[in-house]
Amino acid sequence: MFLAIKQQCKSYFWRLAERRSPRAEAVVLRHRSIYVLPSKAGLGYMLAGLLVWLLGTNYQNNLILAASFLLFALFVVSVLHAFGNLSGLQLRALKAEPGFVGETLEFPVELISSRSVFHLLLQPVRGPVLRCDLGRDQANVVKIPLAAQRRGWLKPDRLLLKSYFPLGITRVWSWVYLEGKVLVYPEPRPAQFAPQYGADSSGDQGDRVRADDDFMGFVRYQPGASLAQVAWKLYARGAGLHLKQFGAQQRQSQWLDYHALLGDVETRLSGLCFLALEWHAAEIDYGLILPGTRLEPAGGDQHLQRVLSELALFNPAEVGREV
Amino acid sequence: MKSRRTIARRSLIWLLIAQLMVLAPLALHIPLWLSVTALLVIAWRWWLERGRGRFPGPWWRSALAIAVTAMLYVSVGGSFAMETMVSLLVAGFVLKLTELRREGDVYLLCFLAYFVAATQLLFFTQFLGSVYSLLCFCAITGTLLVNQMAGARSPASPSPWRTLAGLLFQALPIMLVLFLALPRLGSLWTVPLNSTAGTTGVSDSMSPGDIADLMQSDELAFRVTFAADIPPAHERYWRALVLDEFDGRRWSQSDFHDVGNGRASVWRRSDQALTELARPMSYEIMLEPTGENWLYALAVPQTDASGVDLSRGYTLFQRKPISQRKQYSVISQLFYRAQGSGLDEREKRAALQLPDTGNLQTRERARQWAEQEPGSQALINRFLRLVQSRFRYTLQPPLLGDDSVDEFLWQTRAGFCEHFASSFVFFMRAAGVPARVVVGYQGGQVNPHEGYLTVRQLDAHAWAEVWMEGVGWQRVDPTAAVAPERIDRGVEYSLDDSDAQLLANAMGRRFAAWGNLQLQWDAFNYRWHRWVMGYDNQAQQDFLRRLLGASSPWRVTLALIVAIGTVAALIVGWLFWRTREPVAPSVKIYRRLCRKLDAAGVTRWHGETPSDFAARVGQLRPEWAEDMNSVTHLFLRSYYAEDDAAFEALKHKARALLRRIG
């Protein structure tokens, strides 16, 4: 019950914070989204100021009182400077390089300000603190690490920008929601080929291996071989890519076929991703067949990216049928 | 922020220097060994920084802490005063250095340093002392700043000096506003400032030689500012205590007058008839700390100062010893008749008390004279005539034996004010006239620069008071009979050369140029004390009333908010102005065009590119399409390609278009 309320409050808080600093590709920090409070050291500073004030009050010593007022005034000025330090800072999400599930991707953010910005600390929600100083009108690119956990578009979570400048007694911060995204490809992982698949043979799905052919043995993988012929078990043992040789060899086709693999959606996509990389490295032309999508065989970096993007963004629910 | 990074060398240097600055003046007020330990620890920490030696382990640190605490306990011996606390603070402040390694540790040390620097101001309240403390505060703030800037990677980091100066310069006006407007609360609890400090000035008893000892000190006793004219020197008798008990050698206070120990009762002017013979005189005294609980004033004083009472001897006193400079205003009735109708039995007995034995010659002579003379006044005059004709005023009187009054009056006939006052009172009492000794200061030097009066220790004086029927207590100063210039001009003018050598700062008082400098500096310090240290609730009320018309709380609060808000707005304005973006001239022209189009009903959307906007203008107002397109093209060329020819054309075209629109 209590936890639920806490959760509720938390989510309300973050909604509020997000409303004050809406998601955008480029964000300029303004007073609406900048917060200043005393830091932990600042509380100590205030305590020292209070003690000095008590000393001055007790001994009715105007000079000591003036000293405590000076401490207070320094705090006020420090808050203003802290605010001025962050205010006007512009952040822009740059184009990020895609990567695979399991990797840590880098999300580049360009920081620029018409003023010098000192001792800026950037902290993603889960991640290390990055330190950065900016010269006046000097762009600085900070690469924010993002752990890719699922395929598809990865959006950076809110970014905490904070600074303890100038005296370390104030903590000025802002939550920044950058409208950027990184494409995350499935993790390349070998998957198992479906042996029964050959029974269903419709022309437009390309040539397939017949299940009733006699197994003859293994040969080294050759460019252009069908994925159905790959000896996945051998590969999984670390023996490299080999093809199963069947009695009646067929002309090898170049299709990455979703239906030719075993396992759930993610396993199959990982398998397809793995093969795409292998074939690309081996300079084989290949096409892609996904439920609802078909890419004609081709080669090259662009084709690989198209194929990987399709794999990354494949949405079984969108296809509208059980796969 | 608790940073785990090792402290940068630059911040360590700042910190150690700030520490040394904070500790230096306190060395006078903490045990010597502690100052030495502090120096050693600071030097050793620097040694470590240079890579020699290793940090001590927790055992060593605890051993050091225990040793220092034990030594502190031994040296201050359990008494608790502010000086003890300062010593403790200093000890903690220095020992923390032995475990200072991380950036985060700097904060605690800096906050401690702020507090320790503030305690300096308990002991040093002169102008220079305050400036020094301000420097300490700057050094500590600089340490915080440098610690924060340490490890910056940007080459654009500004100099810490400039940032520090900026911070302090901006903080000072806010401090000033707070200082002027924030009300002062009274003392919350009492901790004496120092437990061991001696007392200075006139003491509560008087033996031969006591006051002459004070002549060796040029120290300031108090300063006085009169509301109107300064009364002539022979009326400036600053009374501290009434001494009415004599044991043959020493004068002290009887129970009746003892204000110091609270045995005497408070006297109210309304208790006894006091006839005022002239307009009272009002003035303000700033008394240097004495460690005693009596104050100085002209007779008969009256004051509103809180905690200050009037004694039966027409002197002022308070319960707590004066451990800090004290400022109070007094209204005095210099010419008065009091208690003329008679003394009560107790007071009369005290005023006639004499020791049972001794000084037989004086007693005998007093009886004779009392019979020969018609009244008290005649008796007094005869005594004064004797003094005037036969006595010598000197700082180096011959030593006196057991019957000190006899020896002085009838044999040596040379002495200082205490000899004259003492023997006069003895003589009067022996003759049956109530009399008493009063001690305090007499005269004082007028500072020509500020028009106030400076009273120093060497102005210490003792005189007598005699009670007469119908007149009451009347001042009689036998010293005035023997050395009138002592009363009118000051002690330095009343002594011969060999005596003057014994006076403190004889040179300063004699050589005009040096004395003048001293006077000017004293005037400046006095002003500092009066207006800064003495800015109390009353002064504040007056100031605010003059400034705001009334000093009601809401008015003051409003003024405070407005003043601080203005300063803050100025600072923010400055922060932004300092770094505002320069706007290219072509952008200015384009913006002017946009404003004009806006007025004509075509508004550029936020974020709309100039080309898109030009296209939209063309759709909405086809008649401007061509001009708008060319202006936009020229603007883009001159702005992005920095094409000067395009800029010239832009100016021309834009002007034409503006005319067409408008």
Side-chain angles (χ1 to χ4, degrees):
Chain A
M1 173 68 181
F2 181 70
L3 265 179
I5 292 173
K6 195 176 156 194
Q7 204 61 43
Q8 195 77 39
C9 287
K10 241 181 170 168
S11 77
Y12 177 76
F13 174 80
W14 287 118
R15 267 210 307 280
L16 202 73
E18 191 161 358
R19 202 180 313 149
R20 292 180 73 88
S21 38
R23 207 175 260 279
E25 224 167 90
V27 171
V28 181
L29 299 187
R30 295 269 176 243
H31 60 273
R32 263 176 74 83
S33 52
I34 297 179
Y35 311 87
V36 191
L37 273 183
S39 63
K40 265 183 219 153
L43 294 179
Y45 177 91
M46 286 174 137
L47 184 69
L50 188 71
L51 287 176
V52 171
W53 179 81
L54 269 178
L55 186 75
T57 297
N58 205 36
Y59 285 93
Q60 304 193 346
N61 185 319
N62 264 344
L63 294 176
I64 298 182
L65 282 177
S68 78
F69 298 151
L70 178 65
L71 287 181
F72 178 78
L74 267 176
F75 188 83
V76 172
V77 173
S78 171
V79 165
L80 297 176
H81 278 250
F83 174 80
N85 191 29
L86 227 57
S87 173
L89 177 67
Q90 191 176 343
L91 290 97
R92 206 152 59 86
L94 298 184
K95 196 171 166 352
E97 288 302 316
F100 298 93
V101 168
E103 287 181 345
T104 299
L105 308 187
E106 280 179 339
F107 183 70
V109 175
E110 185 193 61
L111 297 134
I112 187 163
S113 174
S114 57
R115 284 191 287 280
S116 303
V117 178
F118 312 107
H119 324 290
L120 187 64
L121 302 165
L122 287 97
Q123 189 174 22
V125 172
R126 279 170 294 274
V129 179
L130 309 165
R131 187 172 174 145
C132 159
D133 299 273
L134 281 180
R136 183 175 173 178
D137 283 326
Q138 284 173 347
N140 198 339
V141 176
V142 176
K143 287 179 174 155
I144 291 157
L146 277 179
Q149 286 165 330
R150 281 187 320 180
R151 68 184 173 83
W153 288 113
L154 176 60
K155 289 188 175 181
D157 206 340
R158 64 172 182 276
L159 186 63
L160 175 65
L161 275 142
K162 59 180 177 177
S163 173
Y164 295 93
F165 187 81
L167 298 180
I169 56 178
T170 48
R171 177 188 195 266
V172 57
W173 77 98
S174 181
W175 287 294
V176 175
Y177 296 85
L178 277 177
E179 185 73 87
K181 51 188 182 181
V182 198
L183 194 55
V184 180
Y185 303 139
E187 187 184 6
R189 204 156 15 97
Q192 234 176 351
F193 147 77
Q196 82 286 1
Y197 194 73
D200 171 26
S201 166
S202 58
D204 65 317
Q205 290 192 342
D207 305 315
R208 295 220 167 67
V209 184
R210 288 213 183 80
D212 52 352
D213 280 336
D214 301 326
F215 177 68
M216 309 264 297
F218 301 104
V219 292
R220 273 205 69 80
Y221 175 81
Q222 285 164 2
S226 158
L227 86 128
Q229 283 174 283
V230 173
W232 293 115
K233 278 180 184 164
L234 270 189
Y235 179 78
R237 284 185 219 126
L241 271 181
H242 287 84
L243 296 174
K244 293 181 216 167
Q245 285 255 305
F246 296 95
Q249 267 306 331
Q250 289 190 323
R251 200 186 66 79
Q252 276 137 19
S253 58
Q254 303 124 327
W255 289 101
L256 293 166
D257 189 347
Y258 178 82
H259 304 93
L261 292 180
L262 280 182
D264 60 9
V265 182
E266 296 307 322
T267 318
R268 293 190 204 191
L269 291 173
S270 285
L272 293 176
C273 176
F274 174 83
L275 281 175
L277 290 176
E278 286 291 339
W279 289 350
H280 174 75
E283 295 181 353
I284 303 167
D285 286 358
Y286 51 92
L288 174 70
I289 299 166
L290 284 175
T293 312
R294 182 190 173 96
L295 292 178
E296 289 306 320
D301 288 342
Q302 275 198 339
H303 182 66
L304 177 70
Q305 271 172 26
R306 269 184 74 191
V307 168
L308 290 178
S309 303
E310 288 294 340
L311 293 177
L313 298 174
F314 174 66
N315 185 352
E318 216 170 67
V319 177
R321 64 185 172 97
E322 191 62 37
V323 283
Chain B
M1 179 186 64
K2 200 83 174 169
S3 168
R4 260 164 276 289
R5 262 202 316 265
T6 310
I7 178 170
R9 172 165 297 185
R10 204 148 78 118
S11 16
L12 185 71
I13 293 174
W14 272 79
L15 181 67
L16 294 183
I17 288 177
Q19 248 186 333
L20 277 174
M21 281 177 69
V22 168
L23 291 177
L26 287 172
L28 292 173
H29 290 272
I30 58 176
L32 180 66
W33 62 265
L34 186 58
S35 309
V36 174
T37 312
L39 264 181
L40 287 178
V41 171
I42 289 174
W44 170 73
R45 181 62 187 79
W46 177 242
W47 188 256
L48 284 186
E49 174 66 19
R50 301 293 301 275
R52 303 177 191 145
R54 282 185 321 148
F55 269 93
W59 286 106
W60 276 107
R61 287 206 303 266
S62 334
L64 189 61
I66 290 170
V68 167
T69 317
M71 283 190 58
L72 255 183
Y73 187 78
V74 169
S75 59
V76 298
S79 71
F80 191 76
M82 198 56 211
E83 285 194 331
T84 325
M85 203 187 98
V86 171
S87 301
L88 261 172
L89 265 173
V90 169
F93 182 44
V94 170
L95 290 180
K96 180 73 191 157
L97 265 188
T98 60
E99 50 178 17
L100 170 75
R101 310 178 87 153
R102 315 240 171 268
E103 256 177 34
D105 296 335
V106 173
Y107 292 105
L108 182 61
L109 267 165
C110 282
F111 301 156
L112 259 173
Y114 276 131
F115 191 77
V116 176
T119 61
Q120 287 177 355
L121 293 168
L122 284 174
F123 308 112
F124 304 96
T125 50
Q126 303 280 13
F127 174 73
L128 282 182
S130 320
V131 170
Y132 184 83
S133 288
L134 182 65
L135 284 181
C136 288
F137 270 74
C138 294
I140 302 164
T141 310
T143 308
L144 282 176
L145 184 68
V146 169
N147 189 44
Q148 193 51 224
M149 289 173 118
R153 297 205 194 96
S154 160
S157 274
S159 123
W161 293 101
R162 261 189 66 185
T163 315
L164 179 63
L167 284 173
L168 286 162
F169 182 72
Q170 291 159 22
L172 283 174
I174 299 180
M175 180 195 90
L176 197 66
V177 171
L178 290 171
F179 182 83
L180 290 174
L182 271 194
R184 311 290 197 261
L185 302 181
S187 230
L188 305 173
W189 67 90
T190 317
V191 177
L193 201 56
N194 34 28
S195 51
T196 53
T199 56
T200 54
V202 172
S203 74
D204 61 354
S205 71
M206 182 185 83
S207 320
D210 277 0
I211 292 196
D213 285 348
L214 285 173
M215 294 298 123
Q216 288 165 22
S217 164
D218 188 31
E219 243 180 81
L220 186 66
F222 54 88
R223 288 179 274 214
V224 194
T225 308
F226 284 90
D229 292 342
I230 299 181
H234 61 83
E235 280 163 16
R236 298 198 299 257
Y237 279 85
W238 307 99
R239 53 202 290 136
L241 292 172
V242 168
L243 306 179
D244 61 345
E245 196 163 273
F246 188 51
D247 66 354
R249 186 160 189 87
R250 211 169 69 99
W251 285 92
S252 55
Q253 302 175 87
S254 69
D255 284 1
F256 189 73
H257 283 296
D258 189 355
V259 296
N261 302 317
R263 285 188 290 173
S265 52
V266 175
W267 190 65
R268 267 172 283 280
R269 279 168 77 127
S270 58
D271 285 359
Q272 269 142 11
L274 182 94
T275 320
E276 302 192 340
L277 299 181
R279 276 166 55 85
M281 197 155 257
S282 93
Y283 52 94
E284 198 177 79
I285 293 189
M286 184 186 288
L287 177 62
E288 297 298 302
T290 58
E292 306 281 15
N293 52 3
W294 50 85
L295 292 84
Y296 298 86
L298 299 169
V300 172
Q302 189 179 20
T303 182
D304 296 335
S306 68
V308 178
D309 289 314
L310 181 63
S311 84
R312 285 166 170 278
Y314 317 151
T315 62
L316 296 177
F317 68 100
Q318 63 172 30
R319 298 266 164 240
K320 284 185 286 181
I322 298 149
S323 57
Q324 292 189 76
R325 191 173 285 106
K326 186 175 176 74
Q327 198 169 359
Y328 54 98
S329 346
V330 187
I331 297 175
S332 280
Q333 179 56 56
L334 264 61
F335 304 96
Y336 58 92
R337 289 256 155 81
Q339 296 173 273
S341 52
L343 293 175
D344 69 44
E345 206 41 49
R346 224 178 119 218
E347 189 171 3
K348 192 164 185 171
R349 212 174 331 116
L352 286 170
Q353 175 269 345
L354 282 177
D356 296 338
T357 55
N359 298 312
L360 295 174
Q361 197 182 349
T362 309
R363 288 178 205 245
E364 180 55 35
R365 193 69 65 92
R367 248 191 316 278
Q368 285 173 15
W369 286 21
E371 283 164 15
Q372 293 162 6
E373 299 298 330
S376 311
Q377 190 58 54
L379 193 62
I380 296 167
N381 290 344
R382 187 166 170 187
F383 184 92
L384 294 181
R385 275 200 305 279
L386 171 76
V387 166
Q388 206 169 5
S389 58
R390 302 269 183 81
F391 283 66
R392 194 162 58 89
Y393 181 70
T394 173
L395 261 178
Q396 299 156 285
L399 287 177
L400 300 175
D402 285 341
D403 289 335
S404 59
V405 178
D406 274 5
E407 283 175 44
F408 171 70
L409 281 181
W410 318 114
Q411 289 167 33
T412 64
R413 294 191 171 175
F416 202 57
C417 60
E418 66 251 50
H419 298 91
F420 290 99
S422 166
S423 41
F424 174 76
V425 172
F426 187 97
F427 190 91
M428 284 297 140
R429 285 184 175 189
V433 182
R436 61 194 187 186
V437 172
V438 185
V439 288
Y441 297 90
Q442 192 277 325
Q445 191 181 16
V446 177
N447 187 313
H449 302 286
E450 279 289 297
Y452 64 91
L453 196 71
T454 316
V455 178
R456 298 178 182 276
Q457 296 302 347
L458 45 69
D459 294 316
H461 192 53
W463 61 96
E465 279 181 339
V466 174
W467 184 85
M468 282 178 287
E469 188 69 45
V471 179
W473 286 108
Q474 193 71 19
R475 184 177 64 230
V476 178
D477 189 354
T479 310
V482 66
E485 57 294 346
R486 158 70 185 90
I487 304 306
D488 288 328
R489 298 187 66 190
V491 68
E492 60 269 44
Y493 297 99
S494 62
L495 298 168
D496 57 31
D497 280 351
S498 74
D499 270 359
Q501 294 300 320
L502 296 174
L503 285 179
N505 196 15
M507 201 186 78
R509 289 207 163 195
R510 292 227 177 144
F511 291 103
W514 174 242
N516 194 36
L517 259 182
Q518 273 189 327
L519 284 175
Q520 281 192 358
W521 180 240
D522 190 72
F524 180 75
N525 261 317
Y526 181 51
R527 229 177 314 169
W528 171 257
H529 285 302
R530 271 190 83 193
W531 301 120
V532 179
M533 286 299 285
Y535 187 76
D536 56 2
N537 271 332
Q538 189 55 48
Q540 188 175 55
Q541 293 271 321
D542 293 346
F543 173 76
L544 291 176
R545 199 168 302 127
R546 237 178 316 136
L547 193 72
L548 308 172
S551 62
S552 61
W554 70 264
R555 224 178 245 236
V556 174
T557 315
L558 199 70
L560 206 64
I561 291 170
V562 168
I564 293 182
T566 312
V567 175
L570 281 174
I571 295 171
V572 170
W574 175 76
L575 278 174
F576 283 82
W577 172 82
R578 189 183 50 155
T579 53
R580 75 196 190 288
E581 268 175 286
V583 179
S586 55
V587 175
K588 278 185 191 158
I589 292 174
Y590 187 72
R591 282 187 187 161
R592 195 162 68 222
L593 182 61
C594 288
R595 276 198 299 276
K596 196 82 177 201
L597 283 165
D598 186 38
V602 191
T603 309
R604 185 177 162 211
W605 293 327
H606 188 74
E608 191 174 22
T609 64
S611 313
D612 290 351
F613 182 50
R616 207 154 54 78
V617 170
Q619 280 168 10
L620 293 171
R621 297 296 188 92
E623 68 270 25
W624 300 334
E626 197 185 322
D627 282 348
M628 188 64 197
N629 275 333
S630 66
V631 164
T632 304
H633 176 74
L634 287 170
F635 164 62
L636 293 176
R637 260 202 79 67
S638 68
Y639 183 63
Y640 290 106
E642 292 177 8
D643 184 340
D644 288 338
F647 177 65
E648 290 306 316
L650 171 69
K651 277 204 286 194
H652 188 72
K653 282 267 181 191
R655 208 174 302 134
L657 180 58
L658 282 170
R659 259 202 306 277
R660 284 194 58 191
I661 297 169

